Amino acid sequence: MQQAIEATGYHAHVYFDAAQQAAARRLREAVAQRFAVELGRWREQAYGPHPVGAYQIAFAPALFGQIVPWLMLNREGLSVLLHPLTGDDVEDHSDFAMWLGAPLELNMDFLRQHGDNGRSG
């Protein structure tokens, strides 16, 4: 039997273009006020595997049941990628990921070349 995979945390990547920046800022501020999260850098251009501007919301597994339903209802039409942190960036951003809103195509080659691609343990 294969050993169970565990998530040590989660990331939500909030995507936006120039026309969506105001909504993205409102969401960022609301999340920071409502939840104990760590906000990543605000990036207005594509970076790493992300095809457009985005920022990251990092949160603990215990918050999943609170933050995900809230994001579903309050994302203002923005696309949000949710994924666990398991030690395999490729699987985390693909097989284990879920989208709120329209999915975007990530640069998986970037993750294959530069990401963490093996679990410890």
Side-chain angles (χ1 to χ4, degrees):
M1 180 180 207
Q2 184 178 350
Q3 185 176 358
I5 300 169
E6 300 287 334
T8 59
Y10 289 91
H11 286 169
H13 299 278
V14 178
Y15 296 99
F16 56 88
D17 60 23
Q20 298 169 312
Q21 283 192 17
R25 286 190 194 284
R26 283 191 301 273
L27 182 63
R28 182 180 173 92
E29 291 170 12
V31 165
Q33 290 175 356
R34 185 174 190 98
F35 301 102
V37 298
E38 184 178 322
L39 295 175
R41 257 178 74 187
W42 177 275
R43 298 178 185 253
E44 294 182 6
Q45 304 294 327
Y47 67 99
H50 308 289
V52 297
Y55 59 86
Q56 174 181 284
I57 303 167
F59 58 97
L63 276 181
F64 188 91
Q66 297 168 30
I67 197 167
V68 173
W70 189 88
L71 284 171
M72 286 176 179
L73 300 173
N74 294 283
R75 61 184 177 77
E76 292 194 49
L78 299 167
S79 291
V80 179
L81 169 67
L82 292 155
H83 71 80
L85 302 174
T86 69
D88 188 319
D89 287 339
V90 173
E91 280 192 318
D92 290 351
H93 286 78
S94 58
D95 292 345
F96 301 150
M98 62 187 249
W99 286 91
L100 304 178
L104 305 176
E105 188 171 337
L106 301 180
N107 180 351
M108 297 308 290
D109 286 337
F110 178 89
L111 289 176
R112 286 184 195 96
Q113 294 171 10
H114 304 287
D116 185 0
N117 294 316
R119 287 184 199 89
S120 59

